[in-house]
Amino acid sequence: MGKVKAIAFYLPQFHPIKENDEWWGKGFTEWTNVAKAKPMFPGHYQPHIPADLGFYDLRLSEARIAQADLAKKYGISAFCYWHYWFGNGRRILERPFQEVLESGTPDFPFCLAWANETWSGIWHGNPKTILVEQVYPGEQDYIDHFNSIFPAFKDKRYFKVDGKPLFMVYKPMEIPDLPLFVSTFRRLATENGLEGIHLVATNVDPDWDTEKYGFDALTPAVHTKDSYLRSANKFVDIYRRAKTSRLNKYYKKIFKRPVRIYNYKDAIQEFDENSGNNIYYPTVIPNWDNSPRSGLNGFILHDSTPELFKKAMVNAVKMVKKYDPENQIVFIKSWNEWAEGNHLEPDLKFGHKYLEVVKDVLQTKD
């Protein structure tokens, strides 16, 4: 039986860019939100303060190398970098990965996930404000997109499945000509000497038909699905439904706390959903709390612990053991989403404990 691979999503937001300067103020990065966070109710764990790596700047190769060294030490197989292509060549936050690619360091595997989504002010309470619009101009844009990331696909560090570079699409169903996108990327992969491309969809349900849409696998987005957050206590369920009804705006106003607060223990998945004939790569979250970005509009999983995270990891690893070794893949969201509260990077409260869970579970023999 092959060793299960753990791929951690990686956010390249931790460095200043001119767009963020214009939208949120000079020098803004995700650290701005992380540092200003405050507890919103008794027992609410905020702020999350980084430990070993500090408030790093991803323009520094030393920071990127330190991240990779830590990930390697604890058994992470690769980083999955969020990659932004808004159409017509518009990119953003591309510098950290480009420097990783061009410098050849760190010597640590990676893959790319296309975050094909319009940027708005939604997490700041202003969803109607469009910051950067995601557009799909057609075939030539898909060709340009492929060509822009082809050097990454050719890199010896790129993570492959059956010899094919893994490429993830965040919201495949928002691509209006999805068959054209898929056929274009597959054709160009072959024409450029690759063995193919391993397309993975997220933000889809487990029974989404990967074969129908031309994909190879999926990893459902699960962090905010109420169906996974049912409490064993029926009175808690009634209370949750009540406060998320039309009364929620009054709840937030009166109690000065977010409406969507759940227990992390209720969110632990068994990964036993009906996925049909799909190859299903589970995504495990160490926690979720985007109140540093969203304030009262946030979504919070309360009381995550390394022990509870271990239950989720064990379930995920057990689930993928049924696949061929090449497809024994678990995604972890995330390596460094500090303003969403989901990070494996050490903080002052838990230190390396979440990383130790990953290493321990991946090394456990059947």
Side-chain angles (χ1 to χ4, degrees):
M1 188 70 74
K3 181 178 182 292
V4 173
K5 282 81 68 178
I7 301 177
F9 288 104
Y10 181 107
L11 182 70
Q13 173 75 283
F14 299 93
H15 64 104
I17 58 173
K18 64 181 182 62
E19 290 89 348
N20 278 335
D21 284 351
E22 294 167 1
W23 298 329
W24 313 116
K26 187 71 174 174
F28 175 91
T29 72
E30 281 288 67
W31 292 130
T32 309
N33 289 326
V34 172
K36 72 180 183 182
K38 292 181 174 60
M40 305 184 78
F41 53 88
H44 183 203
Y45 172 38
Q46 284 295 347
H48 291 209
I49 302 300
D52 303 37
L53 303 179
F55 290 95
Y56 51 74
D57 184 327
L58 289 180
R59 295 173 297 185
L60 299 175
S61 63
E62 292 88 347
R64 303 191 298 261
I65 291 169
Q67 289 176 312
D69 287 345
L70 193 60
K72 190 180 302 183
K73 178 180 178 182
Y74 286 96
I76 300 297
S77 299
F79 287 148
C80 185
Y81 289 85
W82 287 113
H83 153 75
Y84 305 91
W85 177 279
F86 291 99
N88 296 315
R90 178 72 189 275
R91 302 179 69 180
I92 204 168
L93 297 173
E94 72 278 7
R95 177 172 172 178
F97 178 71
Q98 282 302 118
E99 292 188 357
V100 167
L101 184 62
E102 292 167 8
S103 68
T105 56
D107 185 12
F108 186 71
F110 55 74
C111 57
L112 294 174
W114 179 23
N116 62 314
E117 183 177 47
T118 292
W119 281 21
S120 73
I122 187 169
W123 295 122
H124 302 269
N126 193 6
K128 294 183 179 179
T129 300
I130 301 299
L131 303 176
V132 187
E133 184 179 8
Q134 178 71 57
V135 296
Y136 304 94
E139 183 177 15
Q140 185 57 51
D141 192 66
Y142 296 143
I143 294 171
D144 294 342
H145 186 184
F146 180 92
N147 289 337
S148 75
I149 55 180
F150 179 60
F153 291 157
K154 289 195 303 180
D155 193 286
K156 66 180 178 64
R157 294 167 292 172
Y158 202 96
F159 186 90
K160 297 178 176 66
V161 177
D162 290 320
K164 304 169 184 177
L166 186 156
F167 185 71
M168 183 178 289
V169 180
Y170 181 58
K171 289 188 173 181
M173 296 308 290
E174 291 199 0
I175 301 176
D177 49 3
L178 183 59
L180 177 62
F181 162 76
V182 170
S183 63
T184 301
F185 261 53
R186 290 199 183 282
R187 172 176 60 81
L188 291 172
T190 303
E191 289 178 357
N192 284 278
L194 301 176
E195 292 187 32
I197 189 166
H198 189 75
L199 291 176
V200 180
T202 187
N203 254 350
V204 294
D205 292 325
D207 60 355
W208 186 79
D209 193 335
T210 53
E211 184 177 359
K212 173 183 175 182
Y213 293 104
F215 280 70
D216 299 290
L218 52 74
T219 179
V222 299
H223 51 278
T224 58
K225 284 195 172 181
D226 289 355
S227 59
Y228 299 126
L229 304 171
R230 296 193 182 110
S231 172
N233 187 324
K234 66 179 180 180
F235 296 106
V236 171
D237 280 337
I238 293 170
Y239 167 69
R240 287 173 175 171
R241 285 198 296 273
K243 73 175 186 177
T244 56
S245 70
R246 288 177 294 176
L247 300 175
N248 73 73
K249 63 180 179 181
Y250 301 107
Y251 177 91
K252 287 190 289 187
K253 188 173 182 180
I254 294 169
F255 294 102
K256 300 291 191 297
R257 60 190 286 176
V259 169
R260 298 183 297 168
I261 303 171
Y262 302 95
N263 294 319
Y264 179 87
K265 66 180 181 181
D266 294 334
I268 296 172
Q269 286 182 263
E270 297 291 337
F271 298 108
D272 58 358
E273 305 97 320
N274 179 17
S275 57
N277 295 320
N278 296 323
I279 294 175
Y280 176 170
Y281 300 142
T283 291
V284 185
I285 50 175
N287 195 20
W288 185 277
D289 180 357
N290 62 355
S291 62
R293 283 183 187 161
S294 314
L296 295 179
N297 297 310
F299 182 98
I300 298 170
L301 295 182
H302 183 48
D303 273 347
S304 168
T305 65
E307 292 76 20
L308 291 173
F309 172 60
K310 185 172 184 176
K311 291 184 178 181
M313 278 294 297
V314 168
N315 291 344
V317 168
K318 181 181 177 181
M319 182 262 198
V320 300
K321 287 285 190 177
K322 66 185 179 184
Y323 295 132
D324 292 336
E326 285 285 310
N327 298 118
Q328 292 182 11
I329 296 170
V330 171
F331 284 92
I332 302 176
K333 183 171 171 47
S334 299
W335 176 256
N336 63 339
E337 282 271 14
W338 285 85
E340 287 183 349
N342 58 86
H343 54 85
L344 290 175
E345 288 181 338
D347 62 11
L348 293 182
K349 181 175 181 178
F350 291 106
H352 289 218
K353 289 182 179 178
Y354 283 88
L355 285 166
E356 289 167 359
V357 165
V358 174
K359 184 176 183 178
D360 180 46
V361 172
L362 293 178
Q363 288 184 344
T364 299
K365 303 294 183 183
D366 291 333

